[in-house]
Amino acid sequence: MLRVGINGFGTIGKRVADAVRAQPDMRVAGVAKRSPNYEAEVALDRGYALYSAADDGATPFEDAGLPVEGGVHDLVVESDIVVDATPSGVGAQNKGIYEAHDTPAIFQGGEDADVAEVSFNARANYDDAIGADFVRVVSCNTTGLSRLLAPLKENYGVENVRVTLVRRGGDPSDTGRGPINDTLPDPIAIPSHHGPDVQTVFPDVRITTMGLKVPSTLMHTHSLNVTLESEPDVDEVRDLFADESRLFLLPERLGIDGAGKLKEYTSDAGRPRGDVWENCIWDESLTMDGADLYLFQAIHQEADVVPENVDAVRAIADAATKEESVERTNEALGVGS
Amino acid sequence: MLRVGINGFGTIGKRVADAVRAQPDMRVAGVAKRSPNYEAEVALDRGYALYSAADDGATPFEDAGLPVEGGVHDLVVESDIVVDATPSGVGAQNKGIYEAHDTPAIFQGGEDADVAEVSFNARANYDDAIGADFVRVVSCNTTGLSRLLAPLKENYGVENVRVTLVRRGGDPSDTGRGPINDTLPDPIAIPSHHGPDVQTVFPDVRITTMGLKVPSTLMHTHSLNVTLESEPDVDEVRDLFADESRLFLLPERLGIDGAGKLKEYTSDAGRPRGDVWENCIWDESLTMDGADLYLFQAIHQEADVVPENVDAVRAIADAATKEESVERTNEALGVGS
Amino acid sequence: MLRVGINGFGTIGKRVADAVRAQPDMRVAGVAKRSPNYEAEVALDRGYALYSAADDGATPFEDAGLPVEGGVHDLVVESDIVVDATPSGVGAQNKGIYEAHDTPAIFQGGEDADVAEVSFNARANYDDAIGADFVRVVSCNTTGLSRLLAPLKENYGVENVRVTLVRRGGDPSDTGRGPINDTLPDPIAIPSHHGPDVQTVFPDVRITTMGLKVPSTLMHTHSLNVTLESEPDVDEVRDLFADESRLFLLPERLGIDGAGKLKEYTSDAGRPRGDVWENCIWDESLTMDGADLYLFQAIHQEADVVPENVDAVRAIADAATKEESVERTNEALGVGS
Amino acid sequence: MLRVGINGFGTIGKRVADAVRAQPDMRVAGVAKRSPNYEAEVALDRGYALYSAADDGATPFEDAGLPVEGGVHDLVVESDIVVDATPSGVGAQNKGIYEAHDTPAIFQGGEDADVAEVSFNARANYDDAIGADFVRVVSCNTTGLSRLLAPLKENYGVENVRVTLVRRGGDPSDTGRGPINDTLPDPIAIPSHHGPDVQTVFPDVRITTMGLKVPSTLMHTHSLNVTLESEPDVDEVRDLFADESRLFLLPERLGIDGAGKLKEYTSDAGRPRGDVWENCIWDESLTMDGADLYLFQAIHQEADVVPENVDAVRAIADAATKEESVERTNEALGVGS
Ligand SMILES: NC(=O)c1ccc[n+]([C@@H]2O[C@H](COP(=O)([O-])OP(=O)(O)OC[C@H]3O[C@@H](n4cnc5c(N)ncnc54)[C@H](O)[C@@H]3O)[C@@H](O)[C@H]2O)c1
Ligand SMILES: NC(=O)c1ccc[n+]([C@@H]2O[C@H](COP(=O)([O-])OP(=O)(O)OC[C@H]3O[C@@H](n4cnc5c(N)ncnc54)[C@H](O)[C@@H]3O)[C@@H](O)[C@H]2O)c1
Ligand SMILES: NC(=O)c1ccc[n+]([C@@H]2O[C@H](COP(=O)([O-])OP(=O)(O)OC[C@H]3O[C@@H](n4cnc5c(N)ncnc54)[C@H](O)[C@@H]3O)[C@@H](O)[C@H]2O)c1
Ligand SMILES: NC(=O)c1ccc[n+]([C@@H]2O[C@H](COP(=O)([O-])OP(=O)(O)OC[C@H]3O[C@@H](n4cnc5c(N)ncnc54)[C@H](O)[C@@H]3O)[C@@H](O)[C@H]2O)c1
């Protein structure tokens, strides 16, 4: 039983905690967070041991009547591996704590690549993380792109990748973020950081990414072009994708026109938080023009990195092969079904 | 075991079906819908018998490879009571079918009040629906207002009610509805239909409602003023509300500033679809100024009428007293916990 | 010719500058701003003398090739009166500068009331500002409420005012502000600051305001109830409002359902920036129920305070009576026509 | 003096009318519209002769007290050329009227290409429209793409074009359109109609367009990749674009991050309705990678086709060469300055 501590219990941390809990070979050692808000309540309802990451220790939690087990150091002591899901940049600051306890840790995509030895995507480079001390699970967008490029690269070769990322302005509960009524090239300069980030996973891929931010909160949408090194027909590509457990081809018949209906579908299906762990590719959009593949995919920013974090735990612990881990994670969560 | 048929399996219908399934004394006789989209898939995954309401019978479903048991008439035959959750106005057209089969039916708030003998809210007038043939569960907004006014009326008397309803422009999956960037008085004329609709439940209440439509999809928000006939202090009112199982007082400590965080909270808590069946009153907003009560409440349009439909089934069947039914419904669903 | 300096050339400052320029008895002494962005370009195109309020003096402007005349102190020296339109709170910090030069100044609604001797609305209390050293033009919402309450108070007496302010989340160019998809009670506590702010103009009015923030950028919308001390019929009230030059009754015939069409109308009409200086009251919404008046009005946050600033200049300079000033301002800008 | 009639006085029609009025060699023969709303008021305030396109003739206008000169046929009689700016599809229905009167007409991009002999963009194919009977000014997006591709084609050759069009969900006054909180691939199938539409102007260009719809109202944004036939460096391309009168390179210094600030800038500059007639290319986004050009541009859907309509009038009348017409139009409107 791997004991996994979660430092940072927000959008990503709470999902990773629940995903770890669902695994047969792991348990949640505890979760650390800064403030006694509704998410602290949820942690306790779930039965997670709660640790305070607040500057003034247990006080704010005690004032709110919420029992805590200690601070971040105490949590690290209880953990074989820590998943750090604190806000961008805070992970790097926390690294010293993990080093001090000689405890391996997983960082998230908000950290710079050099925080860890390997930028991780289970489909693309699981083996690179075996036995590593520090691993960074790449961001939601990079995860979505890596899952798609891996099989294309293996089967057809990839000559050039051009992606426009139409990103949601904020998560659904980010009430302070905009824009309200605008479409922002973001960044204006090209490429956006996503291209270079994909290259931390596939160092030799030629890729140009262009980012925009729009007033929606549900998912990112990628408009994607890949120039392949060969010219498969579109049905071959369709079959290739259909075989990938973390790619979901949305059939036209379902009548799903965007992220609203898609999340309604997964919520109806009873998934926790309506989470969409898979890349969702609109089947109808799959198009080949010579060696050029075009498609649209939707990426649930809050969810797609969750199974990747679980796999990263097993890779670090050398507790399973890539195939075993991915299958175990998928099965425990219901990914791909 | 009451056999409940659901005619119309959309936003409301699918929730009522799941709520019926969760009751110890009911089962879902089947569900009827018009098109073989993602919601049809969900119905079959749940194990609901599927009936076609399409103009061309079973054909569209068969073409999509989805098995159907018959048409709407067949569903009515299998049902002791039908919940009609078809779009506004269609319910009235369906009434003849239920009459032909002598099967009692429950309509939704999109229908005119005269479609049924009683406009129903469990807290306010459960007994009026006992043994009725046709009952209309009032709309989400009217349900929210009725639950609040009932205890105020009983305890303090109500002299005048003034409500501004800041309504979401559409449900989360309504991708065709606007406005995108506007705040619309809707209707411009005062009062909106909500006031008279509340009077179908409380005929003698003086109430003026003003409606607006804004570009958000998650919940309606009510800004409310009730002039009482006496002058309780605010803590009395707080205690009164705290005793109501379908009113939830949002404590300041949770840090919930709007519908985004509220739905995140209920999703985190594991509620199906993150549904919020209760009126959510911001505790911090509760204010008394003389005999004037002021508060903000959020109403989850897709969810608050669901327990009311379940109670209406029992009322029609005379299968439980008001207190028994409300408690049984709450317990089966997890309302108020 | 009154020489008016504008300190802070943003949303409000640039409009006040243009309005001052349009007056027969005033001229723009110069404008100060912090950064050489597009608005600096506009200032120079207009022929305004540009002053730097940047911490490092003229440097950023010179680097961008934009000529500046000096710093804020230099601008104050050139001015008989300064309009301070810097961001909330900065005005109070600037007060010392104006005092040092013994130059009267006008602050905006983002400052606390105690920054000035009088909280000003031309319709309500012009005379209080005659000869004052420091005047605060109340905020857009308070201006909108004061213009409406003044004639009601004078003619019928006002017993109680209840307003729900459905506020735009940000100005059209505020790309960093939210919410994207939420309706936020803001503040959650009741009353919002608007009620007390109205009382800086009408100290003895009983008023409760409830504020919300929604994802739109064009205008604020007020849902308003005034309990009068007498019971005029609705046509009397309509006539009363029709006589007020800064209230505009939107006739039903125009087909204007919200702020989008309203701003389209004023843009079509050729108004600078499509500005709406008047309160826009939907005629169709005017309703009397006993002594209770109900209505909806739209307030163009960026524009309604502009004529008030102009009048405040004349009041301070004792350069015209209230009637003369309001008429001169209206005529020069095109208010009410 | 060319007499130009405008049939359809909505978003496009009213702008074209004002643009025609501003030309030294044209006058507005009159404008036809269907309903006596605020735009009818604007037409009369401008002094345009008003014609009724209502099914019941002058009646609705007379009821509203607005004088009309006749019906559409009467307007055509008064016109040398008609600009048809009725809603998509209505133009084709109107064609018979223009034929019956032997009056040449200009249609808009909402019509199918076969409504006219030539699909027109002044920069790309002015001469094709000289003396034509029926001309279609291509849509806002196609206009924006044509202006950009013409100089690239002439100077470097174009091998392949890939565009993601992030389209506004509706115009600012379209209060009924969505989506409110979603990003919709629209259409889901690739290519969108924009690619083939560009090919009505450049028949031999290889182009793939992917369309999306987002909840913003101000402008369309294009994320663009052009594979050229040669490899100019980025400054050459910059200079090429700088020479084009209807391309505007947004300098970084202005601090314009999206459509909100851009429209604020043009409104501040005093342009009618804040209209942006030019393609706005973010200078900072211009990037060359080998033969691949990448950039972001913003297209003001309501405005960019306006100067094109004016040029189309001159082309049909053979009243000026391409260079003369473009210069005269630009000068009269202020395009490019
Ligand atoms: N939100 C997304 O969609 C998303 C997607 C992929 C990756 N990520 C990445 O995941 C990471 C976490 O993002 P998030 O959206 O979950 O953030 P969040 O703000 O939702 O949650 C962060 C949590 O960390 C806690 N925290 C803050 N400072 C802390 C500290 N010093 N020690 C311990 N806990 C602390 C906060 O209380 C909160 O519980 C970031 O690197 C982000 O870039 C986010
Ligand atoms: N959506 C809400 O938030 C909400 C809240 C309270 C009440 N209501 C009311 O509930 C009712 C249903 O609304 P909804 O939002 O669930 O609608 P919906 O459009 O989501 O679902 C309607 C369902 O009825 C089916 N249908 C359409 N015509 C039919 C017919 N002739 N026979 C059988 N089925 C048919 C559709 O296929 C769909 O499954 C309306 O009266 C509405 O006013 C809706
Ligand atoms: N925007 C509105 O809708 C609105 C409506 C009514 C009242 N107000 C009030 O008007 C005031 C100005 O608001 P705004 O929206 O115009 O702000 P803004 O941010 O649009 O503009 C502020 C301007 O002040 C400049 N500035 C910043 N610091 C300065 C300093 N120290 N010295 C000189 N200039 C400085 C900035 O460069 C900018 O040009 C605030 O008090 C606000 O509350 C705003
Ligand atoms: N709105 C845009 O951003 C935009 C941009 C480029 C091209 N276009 C195209 O321009 C055309 C007009 O679009 P719009 O947005 O201006 O439409 P609109 O709806 O704003 O205006 C249409 C006008 O036509 C009038 N009308 C309707 N039926 C008529 C009839 N039978 N006879 C005469 N007048 C009639 C209406 O009263 C209205 O005044 C469409 O082909 C559209 O695709 C629109």
Side-chain angles (χ1 to χ4, degrees):
Chain A
M1 232 26 186
L2 282 164
R3 298 171 308 155
V4 183
I6 314 287
N7 189 13
F9 191 76
T11 302
I12 298 300
K14 66 191 173 191
R15 285 173 165 85
V16 171
D18 289 358
V20 161
R21 186 175 67 154
Q23 305 304 313
D25 51 352
M26 302 181 189
R27 67 175 188 79
V28 176
V31 307
K33 69 183 310 295
R34 285 181 78 79
S35 59
N37 70 350
Y38 68 92
E39 288 168 325
E41 200 110 336
V42 166
L44 292 172
D45 283 356
R46 276 298 193 285
Y48 298 145
L50 186 61
Y51 292 81
S52 171
D55 294 330
D56 44 352
T59 316
F61 293 86
E62 281 166 359
D63 289 354
L66 305 178
V68 293
E69 310 289 322
V72 173
H73 279 274
D74 303 302
L75 171 60
V76 178
V77 168
E78 297 298 321
S79 307
D80 298 317
I81 296 182
V82 173
V83 176
D84 183 300
T86 57
S88 300
V90 177
Q93 294 168 25
N94 288 340
K95 191 174 172 183
I97 309 183
Y98 311 132
E99 286 173 329
H101 291 274
D102 208 10
T103 302
I106 295 168
F107 297 98
Q108 306 304 316
E111 304 304 316
D112 289 338
D114 62 14
V115 80
E117 309 146 52
V118 52
S119 281
F120 179 85
N121 171 260
R123 176 64 181 80
N125 64 359
Y126 182 94
D127 290 353
D128 295 356
I130 293 181
D133 284 329
F134 293 109
V135 166
R136 181 183 73 120
V137 170
V138 290
S139 76
C140 47
N141 282 309
T142 305
T143 295
L145 291 172
S146 299
R147 286 175 180 172
L148 197 86
L149 292 177
L152 291 175
K153 230 170 148 281
E154 290 165 14
N155 286 274
Y156 313 118
V158 163
E159 193 178 299
N160 204 347
V161 185
R162 301 173 183 90
V163 194
T164 299
L165 302 108
V166 184
R167 291 149 51 218
R168 58 76 178 113
D171 291 334
S173 63
D174 278 341
T175 45
R177 289 173 70 163
I180 292 174
N181 185 38
D182 213 332
T183 299
L184 307 177
D186 179 41
I188 296 174
I190 298 170
S192 66
H193 73 275
H194 306 93
D197 203 37
V198 167
Q199 290 166 332
T200 64
V201 178
F202 301 107
D204 55 343
V205 155
R206 186 172 172 204
I207 179 168
T208 304
T209 52
M210 304 173 76
L212 296 120
K213 227 163 68 177
V214 300
S216 74
T217 63
L218 299 178
M219 287 194 179
H220 301 301
T221 311
H222 295 173
S223 149
L224 195 123
N225 162 241
V226 185
T227 308
L228 300 171
E229 285 170 357
S230 57
E231 304 200 5
D233 77 17
V234 75
D235 284 325
E236 265 186 75
V237 179
R238 178 172 284 120
D239 290 346
L240 180 72
F241 288 165
D243 275 354
E244 295 286 321
S245 66
R246 291 181 186 170
L247 301 184
F248 177 53
L249 284 169
L250 277 176
E252 190 176 347
R253 176 176 61 80
L254 294 182
I256 290 176
D257 62 352
K261 291 205 182 62
L262 183 47
K263 288 222 58 192
E264 177 106 352
Y265 180 43
T266 50
S267 295
D268 282 353
R271 288 195 174 191
R273 302 179 174 92
D275 276 356
V276 189
W277 301 291
E278 304 88 352
N279 293 23
C280 290
I281 301 170
W282 274 274
D283 185 275
E284 215 185 329
S285 76
L286 273 181
T287 303
M288 287 297 309
D289 171 32
D292 273 308
L293 168 68
Y294 294 92
L295 61 82
F296 285 116
Q297 69 175 353
I299 297 295
H300 189 199
Q301 71 275 359
E302 304 156 277
D304 73 336
V305 298
V306 172
E308 309 296 329
N309 271 278
V310 172
D311 292 326
V313 169
R314 285 202 197 89
I316 288 178
D318 199 0
T321 65
K322 168 181 166 174
E323 287 69 26
E324 286 166 359
S325 179
V326 168
E327 200 185 314
R328 208 177 296 162
T329 304
N330 288 354
E331 170 135 5
L333 293 181
V335 176
S337 65
Chain B
M1 233 24 185
L2 280 164
R3 297 172 309 155
V4 183
I6 314 287
N7 190 14
F9 190 77
T11 302
I12 298 301
K14 66 191 174 192
R15 286 174 165 83
V16 172
D18 289 358
V20 161
R21 186 175 67 154
Q23 304 305 312
D25 51 352
M26 302 182 190
R27 67 175 188 79
V28 176
V31 306
K33 69 184 309 295
R34 286 180 77 81
S35 60
N37 70 350
Y38 69 91
E39 287 168 326
E41 201 110 335
V42 166
L44 292 172
D45 283 356
R46 275 299 192 284
Y48 299 145
L50 185 61
Y51 292 80
S52 172
D55 294 329
D56 44 353
T59 315
F61 292 87
E62 282 167 357
D63 289 354
L66 305 179
V68 294
E69 311 287 323
V72 173
H73 279 275
D74 303 302
L75 172 59
V76 178
V77 168
E78 297 298 320
S79 308
D80 298 320
I81 296 183
V82 173
V83 176
D84 184 300
T86 58
S88 300
V90 177
Q93 293 167 27
N94 288 340
K95 191 174 172 183
I97 308 182
Y98 312 132
E99 286 173 330
H101 291 274
D102 210 10
T103 301
I106 295 167
F107 298 98
Q108 306 305 315
E111 306 303 317
D112 288 339
D114 62 14
V115 79
E117 307 146 52
V118 52
S119 282
F120 178 85
N121 171 260
R123 176 64 180 79
N125 64 359
Y126 182 95
D127 289 353
D128 294 355
I130 292 180
D133 284 328
F134 294 109
V135 165
R136 182 181 73 120
V137 169
V138 291
S139 77
C140 46
N141 282 308
T142 306
T143 295
L145 292 172
S146 298
R147 287 176 180 170
L148 198 86
L149 292 177
L152 291 174
K153 230 170 146 279
E154 290 165 15
N155 286 274
Y156 313 117
V158 163
E159 192 178 300
N160 203 346
V161 185
R162 301 171 184 91
V163 193
T164 299
L165 302 107
V166 184
R167 291 149 52 217
R168 57 77 177 116
D171 291 334
S173 64
D174 279 340
T175 45
R177 291 174 69 164
I180 292 175
N181 185 38
D182 213 332
T183 299
L184 307 177
D186 179 40
I188 296 174
I190 298 169
S192 66
H193 72 276
H194 306 92
D197 203 37
V198 167
Q199 289 165 333
T200 65
V201 179
F202 302 106
D204 54 342
V205 155
R206 185 173 173 203
I207 179 168
T208 303
T209 52
M210 304 174 76
L212 296 121
K213 226 162 70 176
V214 301
S216 75
T217 64
L218 299 178
M219 288 193 177
H220 301 301
T221 311
H222 295 173
S223 150
L224 195 124
N225 162 243
V226 185
T227 309
L228 301 171
E229 285 171 357
S230 57
E231 305 200 4
D233 77 19
V234 75
D235 285 324
E236 264 186 77
V237 178
R238 176 171 285 120
D239 291 345
L240 179 72
F241 288 164
D243 275 353
E244 295 285 320
S245 65
R246 292 183 186 169
L247 301 183
F248 177 53
L249 284 170
L250 277 176
E252 190 176 348
R253 175 177 61 78
L254 294 181
I256 290 177
D257 61 353
K261 291 206 181 62
L262 183 47
K263 287 223 57 192
E264 177 107 352
Y265 179 44
T266 51
S267 295
D268 282 353
R271 288 196 173 192
R273 303 179 173 91
D275 275 356
V276 190
W277 301 292
E278 304 87 354
N279 294 22
C280 289
I281 301 170
W282 273 275
D283 186 275
E284 215 185 329
S285 76
L286 274 181
T287 303
M288 286 298 308
D289 171 33
D292 273 307
L293 168 67
Y294 294 91
L295 61 84
F296 286 115
Q297 69 175 353
I299 297 294
H300 188 200
Q301 71 274 1
E302 305 155 275
D304 74 335
V305 297
V306 172
E308 309 296 328
N309 271 278
V310 173
D311 292 327
V313 169
R314 285 202 197 88
I316 288 179
D318 199 0
T321 65
K322 167 180 168 175
E323 287 69 26
E324 286 165 357
S325 178
V326 168
E327 200 184 315
R328 209 177 296 162
T329 303
N330 289 355
E331 170 134 4
L333 294 182
V335 175
S337 66
Chain C
M1 231 29 183
L2 281 164
R3 298 172 307 155
V4 183
I6 315 287
N7 190 14
F9 191 76
T11 302
I12 298 301
K14 65 190 175 193
R15 286 173 164 84
V16 171
D18 289 357
V20 162
R21 186 176 66 154
Q23 305 304 313
D25 52 351
M26 303 182 189
R27 68 175 187 80
V28 176
V31 307
K33 68 183 310 295
R34 286 181 77 81
S35 59
N37 70 349
Y38 69 92
E39 287 167 325
E41 201 109 335
V42 166
L44 292 171
D45 283 357
R46 274 301 190 282
Y48 298 144
L50 186 60
Y51 292 81
S52 172
D55 294 330
D56 44 353
T59 315
F61 293 87
E62 283 167 357
D63 289 354
L66 305 179
V68 294
E69 311 288 321
V72 173
H73 279 275
D74 302 302
L75 172 60
V76 177
V77 168
E78 297 298 321
S79 308
D80 298 320
I81 296 182
V82 173
V83 176
D84 184 301
T86 57
S88 299
V90 177
Q93 293 168 25
N94 289 340
K95 191 173 174 183
I97 309 182
Y98 312 132
E99 285 173 330
H101 291 273
D102 208 10
T103 302
I106 295 167
F107 298 98
Q108 306 305 315
E111 305 304 317
D112 288 339
D114 61 15
V115 79
E117 308 145 54
V118 51
S119 281
F120 179 83
N121 172 261
R123 176 64 181 80
N125 64 359
Y126 182 95
D127 290 353
D128 294 356
I130 292 181
D133 285 328
F134 295 109
V135 165
R136 182 182 72 119
V137 170
V138 291
S139 76
C140 47
N141 282 307
T142 306
T143 295
L145 292 172
S146 298
R147 287 177 179 170
L148 197 86
L149 292 177
L152 291 174
K153 230 169 147 280
E154 289 166 15
N155 286 274
Y156 312 118
V158 163
E159 193 178 298
N160 203 346
V161 185
R162 302 172 182 92
V163 194
T164 299
L165 302 107
V166 184
R167 292 149 52 218
R168 58 76 178 115
D171 290 335
S173 63
D174 278 341
T175 44
R177 290 173 68 164
I180 292 175
N181 185 38
D182 213 333
T183 299
L184 307 177
D186 178 41
I188 296 174
I190 298 169
S192 66
H193 73 276
H194 306 92
D197 203 37
V198 167
Q199 289 165 334
T200 65
V201 179
F202 301 107
D204 55 343
V205 154
R206 184 172 172 203
I207 180 169
T208 303
T209 51
M210 304 173 76
L212 297 121
K213 226 163 68 177
V214 300
S216 74
T217 63
L218 300 177
M219 287 193 178
H220 301 301
T221 311
H222 295 173
S223 150
L224 196 124
N225 161 244
V226 185
T227 309
L228 301 170
E229 284 170 358
S230 56
E231 305 201 3
D233 77 19
V234 76
D235 285 324
E236 263 186 76
V237 178
R238 177 172 284 121
D239 291 345
L240 179 73
F241 288 165
D243 274 354
E244 294 285 321
S245 65
R246 293 183 185 168
L247 301 183
F248 177 51
L249 283 169
L250 278 176
E252 188 176 349
R253 176 176 60 80
L254 295 182
I256 290 176
D257 61 353
K261 291 206 180 60
L262 183 47
K263 288 224 57 193
E264 177 106 352
Y265 179 43
T266 51
S267 295
D268 283 352
R271 288 197 173 189
R273 303 180 173 90
D275 275 356
V276 190
W277 301 293
E278 305 87 352
N279 294 23
C280 290
I281 301 170
W282 274 274
D283 185 275
E284 213 186 330
S285 76
L286 275 181
T287 304
M288 287 296 310
D289 171 33
D292 274 306
L293 168 68
Y294 295 92
L295 61 84
F296 286 116
Q297 69 175 353
I299 298 294
H300 189 198
Q301 71 275 1
E302 304 155 276
D304 74 336
V305 297
V306 172
E308 309 296 329
N309 271 278
V310 173
D311 292 327
V313 168
R314 286 202 196 87
I316 288 177
D318 200 359
T321 64
K322 167 180 168 175
E323 286 69 27
E324 287 165 356
S325 178
V326 168
E327 200 184 315
R328 208 177 297 162
T329 304
N330 289 354
E331 170 133 5
L333 295 181
V335 175
S337 67
Chain D
M1 228 33 182
L2 282 164
R3 299 172 307 154
V4 183
I6 314 287
N7 190 14
F9 191 77
T11 302
I12 298 300
K14 66 191 175 191
R15 286 174 165 84
V16 171
D18 289 358
V20 162
R21 186 174 67 154
Q23 305 304 313
D25 51 352
M26 303 183 190
R27 68 174 187 81
V28 175
V31 307
K33 69 183 311 294
R34 286 181 76 81
S35 59
N37 69 349
Y38 68 92
E39 288 168 325
E41 201 109 335
V42 166
L44 292 171
D45 284 356
R46 276 300 192 282
Y48 299 145
L50 186 60
Y51 292 80
S52 172
D55 294 328
D56 44 352
T59 315
F61 293 86
E62 283 167 358
D63 289 355
L66 305 179
V68 293
E69 310 289 322
V72 173
H73 279 274
D74 303 302
L75 170 60
V76 177
V77 168
E78 297 298 321
S79 308
D80 297 319
I81 295 182
V82 173
V83 176
D84 183 300
T86 57
S88 299
V90 177
Q93 294 167 25
N94 288 341
K95 192 174 172 183
I97 309 183
Y98 311 133
E99 286 174 328
H101 291 274
D102 209 12
T103 301
I106 295 167
F107 298 97
Q108 306 305 315
E111 304 304 316
D112 288 338
D114 62 12
V115 80
E117 308 145 53
V118 51
S119 281
F120 178 85
N121 172 261
R123 176 63 181 79
N125 65 358
Y126 182 94
D127 290 352
D128 294 356
I130 293 181
D133 285 329
F134 293 108
V135 165
R136 182 182 72 119
V137 169
V138 291
S139 76
C140 47
N141 282 309
T142 306
T143 295
L145 292 172
S146 299
R147 286 176 179 171
L148 198 86
L149 292 177
L152 291 175
K153 231 170 145 282
E154 290 165 14
N155 286 274
Y156 313 118
V158 163
E159 194 178 298
N160 204 348
V161 185
R162 301 172 183 92
V163 194
T164 299
L165 303 106
V166 184
R167 292 149 52 219
R168 59 73 177 117
D171 291 333
S173 64
D174 278 340
T175 44
R177 290 173 71 164
I180 292 175
N181 184 37
D182 213 332
T183 299
L184 306 177
D186 179 40
I188 296 174
I190 297 169
S192 67
H193 74 276
H194 306 92
D197 204 37
V198 167
Q199 290 166 332
T200 65
V201 178
F202 302 107
D204 55 342
V205 155
R206 185 172 172 203
I207 179 169
T208 303
T209 51
M210 304 174 75
L212 296 121
K213 228 163 70 177
V214 300
S216 74
T217 63
L218 299 178
M219 287 193 178
H220 301 301
T221 311
H222 294 174
S223 150
L224 195 123
N225 162 242
V226 185
T227 309
L228 300 171
E229 285 170 357
S230 57
E231 304 200 3
D233 77 17
V234 75
D235 285 324
E236 264 185 76
V237 178
R238 177 172 285 121
D239 291 346
L240 180 73
F241 288 164
D243 275 353
E244 295 285 321
S245 65
R246 293 182 185 169
L247 301 183
F248 178 52
L249 284 169
L250 278 176
E252 189 176 348
R253 175 176 61 80
L254 294 182
I256 290 177
D257 62 352
K261 290 205 181 60
L262 183 47
K263 288 223 59 192
E264 177 107 352
Y265 180 43
T266 52
S267 295
D268 282 353
R271 289 197 173 190
R273 301 179 174 93
D275 276 356
V276 190
W277 302 292
E278 304 88 352
N279 293 23
C280 290
I281 301 170
W282 274 274
D283 185 275
E284 214 185 330
S285 75
L286 274 181
T287 303
M288 285 298 308
D289 171 32
D292 274 307
L293 168 68
Y294 294 91
L295 62 82
F296 286 116
Q297 69 175 353
I299 298 294
H300 188 199
Q301 71 274 1
E302 303 155 277
D304 74 337
V305 298
V306 172
E308 309 295 328
N309 271 278
V310 172
D311 293 326
V313 169
R314 287 203 195 87
I316 288 178
D318 200 1
T321 64
K322 168 180 166 174
E323 287 68 27
E324 287 166 358
S325 179
V326 168
E327 200 184 315
R328 208 176 298 161
T329 304
N330 288 355
E331 171 134 5
L333 294 181
V335 176
S337 66

